[in-house]
Amino acid sequence: MRAEDPGADAPFVFRDGCIGVTVDVRAYRLSAVQKTAYRLAAKCTAIIGEVREHSLVVTLTFSPTTGEREALETARLFFQELLDQELREKVGEQTASLRALILAHAFSRTSLPPRG
Amino acid sequence: MARAVFHPRSAYAPSAGYRLLPLRFGRLDEHAYIVTNDVGEYVRLARDELVAFLERRLDSDTSVYKALKSRHFLYENDSSVAFDLLALKYRSRAERVAAFTGLHIFVVTLRCDHSCQYCQVSRQSEDSTAFDMTVEHADKALDLVFRSPNEHIKIELQGGEPLLNFPLVCHIVERARKLNEDHRRDLQFVITSNLSRLSDDVLSFCKEHGVYLSTSLDGPADLHDGQRPTRGGGSHRKTVEGIHRVREVLGLDRISALMTTTPRSLSRVDEIIDEYVRLGFHGIFLRSLSPYGFAARSLVKRYGVEDWLDFYKRGLSHILRINAGGYFLREEFTTILLQKMFSPLGSGYVDLQSPAGVGIGALVYNYDGAVYASDEGRMLAEMGDQTFRLGHLDEHSYEELLTSEALLAPLGETILEGMPMCADCPFLPYCGADPVFHRATQGDAVGHKAFSAFCTKQMGVLRHVIGLLETDAEARDILLRWV
Amino acid sequence: MLVKLSARGLRALSETSRAPFVARITETPALPEAARSKLLLLLSGEASDFPPGFRGYLLRQAARPLAPKDTYLLGADHTYLRDGDVVRIDPVRGTVSALYRANSRSNTFLVTERCDNFCVMCSQPPKDHDDGWLVDDIERAIPLISPDATEIGITGGEPALLGERLVRLLVLLREHLPRTGVHVLSNGRRFSDAGFARAVGDVRHPDLMIGIPLYSDLAEEHDYVVQAKGAFDETVRGILNLKRRRVRVELRFVIHRETVERMPEFARFVAKNLTFLDHVALMGLEHVGFARTNLEALWIDPVDYQRPLREAVLTLDRAGMATSIYNHQLCVLDPTLHRFARKSISDWKNVYVEVCQTCRRKEECGGFFTSSAVKRSRGISPYG
Ligand code: SF4
Ligand code: SF4
């Protein structure tokens, strides 16, 4: 499940206030893409397209005041965040049931906290 | 003695492999990531260490592995006591949240003799008693105070300028103490005053009843007076005189001061701090302007959260230098966050709780008998937004007030664990919800954190403080002394 | 002054009991006869006559013949015995052992020598044999002890291995000595059985503290030091169970080469997870038992661990935990730690070294264990 940096060999192009990026859906799940888009909402609006083959096209749309350098930086950030977000989803999968278990234990009667 | 045979360390090594415990992670700075868990433990680590750890291939001999294990981010098959300890910590945290409100704010009058630029409530002329709280309302509010199950109760008397309605202040303090003869709580009083009306009567009353005072001090005289105009001027001089008199009569620790950061303060943080030191204070709260009251209409837009963060960081390093020089001075906002990180009981600071501290951390009784879930909620109401009004002393019972929609809705909405972005933010255990802020700035209690100045501020401060804790041993030593 | 607590040299002057017996010493010959049957009368002067009815008689000087049953002449090692002491007399072996000394602040009962740990620095190495008679004696001794006794320690081996019998012992102490503090030294593992912990809690002893050692924040490190796999989990669970039953618990951390490295992390762990503990003691090594055998491997000069010790103590202190440093001389401690240092070494094994004679702070200083005065810190230097 080791994730390589996907932005490395895909140079971004900033045109008409937009950058189109392609996400491989075999490496990243949709929820990770959505959460990443949400996180970056202050920098750009991400329009999530449809899946073709294994690719998902996401269009990052910038406000007119955003310059090219800043936009490219955001696109780079998008993939950095996406990597983290994908990892988060995996961690969540592995630990969600444990968390429920610990909570159940925490609020069961046997786990009354010790008193000083 | 027969020769004893001891087994080597390796005989007790855990079997290979580990599993992850619930956690959150995120970037701390350019060099490092941070993982935290629900109960407030954290470990700072490099990104490749993080990825190795999450992919369950981190070497158990490394110190980062040991830290992660010790702080309950992973467990091995050989030892399961981590679950018992985690469960306990969850429970203790939850019990603290469940401890009902201990802070009760009485707005005894809206009248004031100052007309501060950033004042968060409408100022009124000094002699219009229409803006005073009535004795009947005060008594009803006091009954509510003692309905809360808290062991520690703090009654804060504020305004306007509360000393303009000193008879009611006396009434509340005396009656509360009388009621407490039966209730036997740990009861504390604070008057929030600009000290312009500090008379011998007031002082002897405070002395008799063990009342604390809290005042406003924005920095050196020109800065302070510039933003806190009074008829006749000289607010700074009067405040300083007042501070000295309180100390003389009541004792050194009886008075504290609060400052508010305005655009004019931004470049003068060292001077502001030095003024506090000069006046012998050992605590300073570098507060940003809140988006309520007059502030929202006039000044708040004039500096951004980034400006405040810069102000804060410069201030903090000045404060650390002062401490290194041997003078104890703590920054209160940082202290609240440090308490959340290191104190087993966390911090009870109202603005930083999940679920939101509204109604749980504080109840505000307004001069007109309305009850609010927090002081900020009251200020928002002064601006015409009644979202956080719980009800009215004449119309609602304690039960009705504490089960009102105004209280429960934000409570339910603001459990951070359920909010987008916050849900997987590593700073969540040290953060809070502040629904009033988000209502005021974004129109709903949850808010979109990517646009939230609150969130930017929290992340900025936490990143900075954790960075200091982890990379600067001297700073760490000083910071931990504040907890 | 040091005394031997069990010494031979008892000479019978009359017919003796066959079996060992436990009795309290009195120096008041005129006691009402009805009160005499469980007392040993200690006669210091020349015994002219023997008031009748006492359980036995101890003489400091040889007496005339015709002594009553169980009259003994004390030897040179027995001079410390006095009114109120509770002793065990073994007529056959000619020994007298003080189970309880009235003029000592703290008395300790060794209740078993068995243990399920095998700590690398154990001061009282365990022996695996049936020693139930130890408790038999103690059960007899307790009713004889003055209720004014300040504190009684219970130690082993592992006292909790006594199981139900430990509970009964605590009941006995509560009944006979309700004003006496009881301090049990246990490895805590047995209390991982919630039922047993509950039984101890249900004794509702008014002044009970259980001292439990924990040597690391990591299971494998603790398990190694106590040489028992799984001990960490059991000990921590034991602590939690006891606290749930509102039994007071003290944590004891012995500092040596095998534990020192994680001391700061250990403190952080305790401050975060076990904040509700009643006391934490960070202790210097006593050079007896295995610690003596393993001294070369375990010894670390205290001046070399002041930094981590300071960090650990401050972490605990900041968390609001009562924290003490035991078994350290003041002059080796970082000055900021002096307020945590306690004079912890029992009077009968406490000494000072030559240089201490001139030390201005000798009164406040805990000094040395008799056993530890040989290998000592290079930091020892008197305050002038
Ligand atoms: S408000 Fe911001 S810093 Fe706080 S938990 Fe939410 S995302 Fe994190
Ligand atoms: S010189 Fe002796 S008495 Fe003085 S502090 Fe050192 S060990 Fe203690």
Side-chain angles (χ1 to χ4, degrees):
Chain A
M1 67 189 253
R2 203 161 179 178
E4 302 299 329
D5 185 351
D9 47 31
F12 307 117
V13 182
F14 181 57
R15 194 180 300 135
D16 302 334
C18 296
I19 294 179
V21 296
T22 311
V23 176
D24 186 333
V25 291
R26 289 166 301 185
Y28 305 99
R29 66 199 78 188
L30 187 61
S31 57
V33 178
Q34 287 165 333
K35 285 182 186 170
T36 303
Y38 188 89
R39 249 167 208 276
L40 294 181
K43 297 182 189 295
C44 65
T45 306
I47 298 163
I48 300 174
E50 275 169 32
V51 183
R52 295 239 173 78
E53 289 284 302
H54 301 299
S55 301
L56 173 68
V57 175
V58 180
T59 311
L60 309 179
T61 323
F62 297 88
S63 76
T65 55
T66 310
E68 175 162 9
R69 263 190 58 192
E70 204 182 319
L72 293 175
E73 174 60 21
T74 303
R76 201 188 57 76
L77 207 64
F78 178 86
F79 278 102
Q80 202 175 357
E81 273 298 333
L82 184 59
L83 267 169
D84 285 355
Q85 203 55 52
E86 180 62 26
L87 271 173
R88 285 193 184 102
E89 300 287 313
K90 285 177 184 155
V91 170
E93 252 167 31
Q94 286 176 55
T95 59
S97 57
L98 264 183
R99 188 165 185 270
L101 204 76
I102 295 167
L103 280 169
H105 187 34
F107 296 99
S108 69
R109 284 186 52 80
T110 54
S111 173
L112 286 176
R115 301 284 168 191
Chain B
M1 190 195 321
R3 191 117 201 100
V5 180
F6 295 103
H7 303 289
R9 241 191 184 75
S10 57
Y12 301 94
S15 50
Y18 63 89
R19 275 185 255 184
L20 304 182
L21 287 165
L23 59 91
R24 296 185 182 82
F25 67 88
R27 208 170 312 122
L28 184 64
D29 50 47
E30 303 91 85
H31 314 289
Y33 270 63
I34 182 173
V35 280
T36 68
N37 63 16
D38 288 323
V39 295
E41 304 259 21
Y42 77 82
V43 174
R44 177 182 183 270
L45 69 189
R47 189 169 200 281
D48 52 348
E49 288 172 325
L50 173 78
V51 175
F53 161 56
L54 296 178
E55 292 178 354
R56 290 164 61 189
R57 50 183 176 79
L58 187 65
D59 183 352
S60 64
D61 273 344
T62 55
S63 63
V64 66
Y65 183 96
K66 288 176 183 168
L68 288 163
K69 180 175 168 184
S70 171
R71 298 169 194 203
H72 298 150
F73 289 96
L74 65 85
Y75 72 102
E76 296 148 344
N77 281 333
D78 307 71
S79 173
S80 60
V81 81
F83 290 97
D84 301 60
L85 295 171
L86 270 172
L88 213 62
K89 284 184 278 188
Y90 270 97
R91 175 122 182 179
S92 310
R93 283 210 150 209
E95 294 200 334
R96 180 178 52 77
V97 173
F100 261 64
T101 182
L103 175 61
H104 297 264
I105 297 174
F106 285 66
V107 182
V108 295
T109 180
L110 268 197
R111 289 183 288 144
C112 188
D113 50 1
H114 277 54
S115 41
C116 306
Q117 300 168 345
Y118 51 73
C119 181
Q120 296 166 338
V121 285
S122 319
R123 58 189 177 274
Q124 305 297 335
S125 65
E126 287 172 43
D127 39 43
S128 157
T129 51
F131 295 99
D132 286 2
M133 182 183 259
T134 63
V135 174
E136 293 71 45
H137 283 154
D139 288 351
K140 281 184 184 167
L142 279 171
D143 289 339
L144 295 188
V145 169
F146 287 101
R147 290 290 304 275
S148 77
N150 250 40
E151 193 22 55
H152 307 277
I153 290 180
K154 183 165 161 182
I155 293 181
E156 193 174 309
L157 300 143
Q158 66 167 47
E161 168 51 49
L163 294 184
L164 288 174
N165 193 3
F166 187 53
L168 189 72
V169 169
C170 297
H171 173 80
I172 292 170
V173 170
E174 281 163 359
R175 188 172 152 82
R177 294 195 67 190
K178 182 106 192 73
L179 290 170
N180 201 38
E181 284 170 14
D182 291 335
H183 291 279
R184 306 193 158 276
R185 310 289 179 80
D186 168 29
L187 192 57
Q188 205 192 42
F189 301 97
V190 184
I191 299 177
T192 303
S193 164
N194 61 35
L195 303 184
S196 62
R197 307 274 159 151
L198 192 71
S199 63
D200 290 340
D201 282 352
V202 172
L203 282 169
S204 65
F205 179 83
C206 291
K207 192 180 174 100
E208 183 187 343
H209 297 283
V211 177
Y212 288 78
L213 285 144
S214 165
T215 192
S216 298
L217 181 72
D218 284 350
D222 67 307
L223 184 65
H224 181 98
D225 288 341
Q227 50 205 35
R228 300 182 64 81
T230 56
R231 223 175 285 157
S235 169
H236 182 269
R237 185 178 43 78
K238 282 189 201 155
T239 303
V240 171
E241 277 169 16
I243 291 168
H244 288 315
R245 282 181 73 201
V246 172
R247 291 213 178 115
E248 257 164 49
V249 182
L250 302 179
L252 280 181
D253 65 324
R254 282 300 160 124
I255 183 147
S256 58
L258 277 176
M259 59 86 50
T260 299
T261 311
T262 68
R264 270 187 283 176
S265 323
L266 287 177
S267 61
R268 302 181 62 180
V269 68
D270 288 10
E271 287 171 73
I272 295 171
I273 292 162
D274 290 344
E275 180 74 358
Y276 272 68
V277 174
R278 190 177 71 79
L279 291 172
F281 285 108
H282 293 281
I284 183 168
F285 198 147
L286 297 176
R287 283 198 310 172
S288 54
L289 272 178
S290 51
Y292 331 111
F294 270 47
R297 278 175 243 156
S298 57
L299 281 160
V300 73
K301 294 260 184 275
R302 294 199 202 151
Y303 68 81
V305 62
E306 297 296 346
D307 296 323
W308 181 84
L309 273 172
D310 180 57
F311 167 86
Y312 166 82
K313 287 179 195 169
R314 281 183 284 120
L316 190 63
S317 71
H318 190 59
I319 292 171
L320 290 172
R321 273 197 300 278
I322 287 169
N323 279 279
Y327 182 89
F328 182 91
L329 177 69
R330 70 179 197 186
E331 200 287 306
E332 305 290 356
F333 186 64
T334 315
T335 303
I336 291 162
L337 299 174
L338 290 168
Q339 275 164 353
K340 285 180 159 264
M341 284 182 231
F342 297 106
S343 146
L345 300 175
S347 152
Y349 188 59
V350 186
D351 290 349
L352 287 183
Q353 279 181 13
S354 165
V358 280
I360 294 189
L363 279 176
V364 183
Y365 311 101
N366 207 4
Y367 71 97
D368 58 0
V371 183
Y372 294 92
S374 71
D375 203 27
E376 290 74 14
R378 168 180 72 102
M379 294 170 190
L380 205 59
E382 298 292 337
M383 296 162 65
D385 181 340
Q386 300 289 333
T387 313
F388 297 97
R389 186 180 189 270
L390 301 183
H392 194 278
L393 288 168
D394 291 333
E395 293 155 32
H396 301 104
S397 68
Y398 178 79
E399 287 75 13
E400 284 167 339
L401 289 169
L402 286 192
T403 52
S404 76
E405 261 307 290
L407 178 67
L408 296 182
L411 262 185
E413 282 172 29
T414 57
I415 294 176
L416 283 180
E417 281 79 352
M419 294 194 201
M421 250 177 93
C422 300
D424 40 43
C425 171
F427 302 111
L428 178 139
Y430 317 124
C431 195
D434 207 343
V436 188
F437 181 96
H438 291 110
R439 172 82 198 175
T441 53
Q442 295 187 11
D444 73 285
V446 175
H448 191 314
K449 296 305 185 306
F451 300 103
S452 158
F454 171 81
C455 177
T456 310
K457 175 180 162 186
Q458 291 297 106
M459 283 203 193
V461 172
L462 281 162
R463 286 197 163 114
H464 186 65
V465 171
I466 294 172
L468 283 174
L469 286 168
E470 294 303 302
T471 58
D472 182 341
E474 199 194 349
R476 180 187 176 87
D477 221 42
I478 294 168
L479 290 171
L480 290 181
R481 260 180 263 156
W482 296 356
V483 180
Chain C
M1 187 203 50
L2 300 168
V3 294
K4 279 193 188 163
L5 290 183
S6 173
R8 287 174 181 274
L10 197 64
R11 189 149 60 84
L13 299 177
S14 64
E15 186 199 340
T16 66
S17 301
R18 292 239 286 291
F21 63 92
V22 174
R24 179 169 83 219
I25 292 175
T26 178
E27 295 187 75
T28 316
L31 277 178
E33 276 191 48
R36 293 178 182 177
S37 69
K38 289 200 168 137
L39 299 174
L40 278 164
L41 182 63
L42 173 63
L43 295 164
S44 291
E46 222 156 277
S48 49
D49 67 315
F50 295 93
F54 285 97
R55 176 66 182 81
Y57 302 84
L58 299 174
L59 311 184
R60 293 210 195 271
Q61 300 175 20
R64 295 161 299 133
L66 282 178
K69 189 179 174 201
D70 282 315
T71 300
Y72 303 88
L73 179 64
L74 294 171
D77 285 334
H78 303 141
T79 47
Y80 66 89
L81 290 173
R82 49 153 281 183
D83 192 286
D85 289 356
V86 178
V87 294
R88 175 183 200 265
I89 304 275
D90 188 334
V92 177
R93 298 172 62 214
T95 59
V96 54
S97 341
L99 295 171
Y100 171 80
R101 288 202 310 144
N103 71 345
S104 172
R105 259 209 85 254
S106 66
N107 279 275
T108 300
F109 292 149
L110 177 81
V111 296
T112 178
E113 291 187 292
R114 292 176 297 133
C115 188
D116 46 356
N117 278 357
F118 202 73
C119 304
V120 294
M121 69 306 175
C122 181
S123 60
Q124 188 92 45
K127 299 195 186 105
D128 194 10
H129 57 182
D130 180 10
D131 53 12
W133 60 272
L134 285 168
V135 195
D136 298 343
D137 279 352
I138 292 159
E139 284 170 349
R140 285 185 203 112
I142 289 170
L144 304 176
I145 294 171
S146 158
D148 294 328
T150 349
E151 190 187 55
I152 284 184
I154 291 184
T155 179
E158 171 49 41
L161 290 183
L162 297 180
E164 195 45 40
R165 227 172 151 194
L166 176 67
V167 178
R168 288 211 302 276
L169 202 61
L170 294 173
V171 171
L172 205 62
L173 284 162
R174 186 200 67 208
E175 284 171 351
H176 289 277
L177 306 169
R179 297 197 301 277
T180 305
V182 174
H183 193 278
V184 180
L185 278 180
S186 162
N187 65 34
R189 293 174 62 185
R190 275 294 166 107
F191 301 108
S192 59
D193 169 359
F196 183 44
R198 181 187 323 126
V200 169
D202 286 347
V203 172
R204 305 221 176 283
H205 192 285
D207 190 2
L208 169 68
M209 173 89 97
I210 304 200
I212 297 178
L214 196 67
Y215 298 126
S216 180
D217 56 320
L218 300 178
E220 67 273 22
E221 290 288 320
H222 175 86
D223 288 0
Y224 162 66
V225 173
V226 306
Q227 296 275 301
K229 184 117 184 148
F232 178 83
D233 277 30
E234 286 182 3
T235 296
V236 172
R237 285 208 179 92
I239 290 169
L240 298 182
N241 284 339
L242 286 169
K243 287 310 301 174
R244 288 190 181 108
R245 295 293 157 188
R246 294 168 191 256
V247 178
R248 291 163 66 229
V249 175
E250 164 192 79
L251 212 60
R252 298 165 76 87
F253 180 93
V254 182
I255 310 166
H256 52 73
R257 196 168 282 288
E258 301 285 21
T259 59
V260 74
E261 197 185 316
R262 291 204 69 82
M263 181 159 52
E265 275 291 311
F266 165 81
R268 209 203 48 80
F269 173 86
V270 171
K272 193 85 191 178
N273 293 282
L274 304 172
T275 330
F276 41 78
L277 288 176
D278 302 274
H279 184 221
V280 182
L282 300 163
M283 318 192 339
L285 195 59
E286 186 180 359
H287 303 178
V288 295
F290 290 156
R292 192 181 202 88
T293 347
N294 293 339
L295 193 58
E296 284 314 311
L298 296 177
W299 164 260
I300 169 169
D301 191 322
V303 298
D304 295 328
Y305 61 66
Q306 289 308 299
R307 262 182 73 103
L309 178 61
R310 180 167 178 273
E311 195 181 331
V313 169
L314 295 184
T315 299
L316 295 165
D317 186 49
R318 277 192 298 260
M321 303 186 72
T323 307
S324 301
I325 299 174
Y326 285 172
N327 312 346
H328 282 76
Q329 302 76 38
L330 276 188
C331 51
V332 305
L333 285 178
D334 183 305
T336 54
L337 296 181
H338 283 187
R339 68 190 171 98
F340 299 98
R342 311 277 175 262
K343 293 178 72 167
S344 50
I345 303 176
S346 319
D347 46 6
W348 57 276
K349 41 183 183 181
N350 183 206
V351 292
Y352 294 85
V353 295
E354 322 77 68
V355 295
C356 301
Q357 297 319 317
T358 63
C359 180
R360 182 168 48 78
R361 303 185 65 181
K362 189 174 165 217
E363 279 309 300
E364 311 154 59
C365 175
F368 299 80
F369 283 112
T370 340
S371 58
S372 313
V374 189
K375 182 153 189 132
R376 61 178 108 114
S377 168
R378 61 181 193 276
I380 300 294
S381 72
Y383 288 90

